[in-house]
Amino acid sequence: MNSSQHEHSDTRCAVVTGASSGIGEATVRALRTQGWTVYAVARRAERLEQLAEQTGAIALAADVSNQEHVDALRDKVQNVDTLINCAGGARGVDYLGEAKDADWEFMYQVNVMGTMRLTRALLPQLRQVPGTVLNVTSTAALASYEGGSGYNAAKAAQRAMTSALRLEEVGHGLRVIEVLPGLVATEEFALRRLGSADAAEQVYAGVSQPLTAEDVAEVIRYAVSLPHHINLDEIVMRPQAQAANHKLIRE
């Protein structure tokens, strides 16, 4: 793709997963504001339909951890030049000694296997453009912490896969970008991980300005909108109050 195509965003077309909430939803809104055609992908059809009505995105209800869903999705999308894998999530804060198989299976399916399945399915399309793959991982991939072993492992695996993909596809002209957010306050991430609203609130307690889903979406929008010869390999982003995974100022 030449740079002139990047200047006219109405020629750009993205698939965004995890689009029913959080970073995925915010990314759909950011790209639509810029004039992109956007396929919004998530499991919850009702929320996708609302997003489609509000933004003009194309709703595609699918579970990226289900191969049949991915195959059907691949056959529906057309002229895609960008894949943004936002679907992911954490379950539980158990220490490894008390690890629950179901939690680990969930985290590997949505963060690792789902990203692999959809990327594998769309690579033939993306190679023709050539296109862009952007994976949202986490600073949890960079530094482990107590109670995070399952999420650390899943995000580290997703990061390793992203790095390998960049090496494998550079000859096909593909651009592969990784965005690694730190503390992001979204409506569902901590709630789903911890299971209670009170516990979720404690994650962000006293932090004056955690990142928002919109903050991350703006970085994603910028990275994929740059001329194609510019590859922002890895973008680590945190709130100013978080100097490292373990260094977080609470007031």
Side-chain angles (χ1 to χ4, degrees), residues 80-241:
V80 172
D81 60 64
T82 302
L83 169 60
I84 301 173
N85 288 301
C86 294
R91 284 290 184 278
V93 287
D94 294 323
Y95 278 33
L96 187 65
E98 287 77 46
K100 296 180 179 67
D101 285 15
D103 288 347
W104 281 59
E105 291 279 2
F106 168 83
M107 288 187 278
Y108 263 82
Q109 282 296 329
V110 297
N111 293 289
V112 184
M113 299 301 291
T115 297
M116 180 278 286
R117 286 190 184 97
L118 194 51
T119 305
R120 180 177 64 187
L122 295 183
L123 269 178
Q125 280 195 50
L126 294 169
R127 286 168 177 161
Q128 290 175 12
V129 186
T132 298
V133 175
L134 186 148
N135 291 339
V136 179
T137 63
S138 170
T139 55
L142 302 176
S144 296
Y145 53 89
E146 297 100 322
S149 57
Y151 189 57
N152 292 139
K155 284 300 185 184
Q158 189 185 23
R159 171 170 165 75
M161 172 174 56
T162 305
S163 300
L165 182 71
R166 187 180 299 115
L167 295 170
E168 292 167 356
E169 296 298 327
V170 64
H172 290 119
L174 211 71
R175 178 168 64 167
V176 179
I177 301 168
E178 181 184 8
V179 176
L180 303 89
L183 186 70
V184 184
T186 61
E187 59 178 332
E188 294 186 345
F189 180 85
L191 178 62
R192 286 183 163 193
R193 182 176 197 175
L194 303 172
S196 82
D198 289 343
E201 284 179 16
Q202 290 306 306
V203 174
Y204 313 110
V207 181
S208 60
Q209 284 186 296
L211 295 178
T212 65
E214 289 73 23
D215 294 333
V216 182
E218 173 58 19
V219 169
I220 292 170
R221 183 206 62 76
Y222 176 77
V224 299
S225 298
L226 285 170
H228 192 74
H229 71 284
I230 303 172
N231 199 118
L232 298 180
D233 286 17
E234 302 170 1
I235 308 168
V236 178
M237 58 182 298
R238 311 180 202 262
Q240 184 277 326

